[in-house]
Every structure is written in structure tokens, then in C-alpha cells.
């Protein structure tokens, strides 16, 4: 199984609140390795209110091309702040 590890912050300020990109990345990799999954990382500093984020779009494209079987995110807010955008993905 290959998973996408999606890590996002919208501001540099979030880096200090326990949601840093490095923290998200570390937890995602630990998850993948603990289950023997292959993984690809998608990391960006962009607003979650938009669905035109480059790494988000790359992840969606890889899912559409069956390159990714599942997605790991720290929590739903890291993926999409807008519930409609998140709901479309689900």
C-alpha cells in the first residue's frame, strides 16, 4: 500500500503551535513505517480555504492516477478548512 502524507500550515505562526510541518511530517512517516507502507509526502504552507494549493492538487492527481491508495493527515483542518472542499474529497 502506498499512502500520501499531506502536511500543511497556513502561516509561519502555526509552526510554533504544535502543528509544525516537521511535526506533521514526522508523525506521518512514523505511521507509514509502523505499518510497512510506502509513502509520498505532500508538504505546503498555504491557506486551507483554497482548493488550488499545488501539493493538494498533486495529491488529488496522484489519487486519480491510482498512485496513492490512502491519505494520512494530522487532522481534517490540515487538509481543508472549508468543509465543502474537504467533503468533496471524501
Amino acid at each position: 500500500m502506498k499512502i500520501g502524507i499531506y502536511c500543511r500550515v497556513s502561516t509561519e505562526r502555526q509552526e510554533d503551535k504544535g502543528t509544525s510541518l516537521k511535526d506533521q511530517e514526522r508523525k506521518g512517516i512514523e505511521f507509514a513505517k509502523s505499518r510497512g507502507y510506502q509513502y509520498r509526502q505532500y508538504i505546503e504552507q498555504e491557506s486551507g480555504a483554497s482548493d488550488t494549493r499545488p501539493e493538494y492538487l498533486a495529491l488529488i492527481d496522484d489519487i486519480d492516477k491510482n498512485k496513492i491508495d490512502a491519505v494520512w493527515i494530522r487532522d481534517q483542518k490540515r487538509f481543508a478548512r472549508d468543509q465543502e472542499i474537504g467533503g468533496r474529497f471524501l
Side-chain angles (χ1 to χ4, degrees):
M1 175 176 269
K2 186 164 185 179
I3 66 168
I5 297 173
Y6 184 76
C7 307
R8 184 190 66 78
V9 295
S10 54
T11 66
E12 287 182 22
R13 196 173 53 152
Q14 285 183 313
E15 289 287 323
D16 299 327
K17 291 187 175 183
T19 58
S20 73
L21 289 174
K22 290 291 182 194
D23 186 50
Q24 292 176 58
E25 182 180 4
R26 179 181 52 78
K27 289 178 181 179
I29 291 171
E30 286 174 1
F31 173 85
K33 287 184 175 181
S34 72
R35 288 160 176 79
Y37 297 159
Q38 295 179 353
Y39 61 90
R40 177 172 176 215
Q41 298 170 261
Y42 303 83
I43 300 171
E44 61 193 346
Q45 182 178 333
E46 298 283 340
S47 171
S50 169
D51 62 355
T52 60
R53 294 169 268 145
E55 290 297 304
Y56 169 88
L57 293 174
L59 172 61
I60 299 301
D61 188 56
D62 284 350
I63 292 168
D64 288 343
K65 293 177 179 173
N66 295 315
K67 293 180 179 180
I68 298 296
D69 301 305
V71 178
W72 179 95
I73 52 174
R74 183 179 169 272
D75 64 49
Q76 189 269 335
K77 292 176 188 172
R78 296 299 90 221
F79 187 69
R81 186 172 53 187
D82 184 306
Q83 296 221 350
E84 182 179 341
I85 292 170
R88 278 187 296 190
F89 176 77
L90 293 174

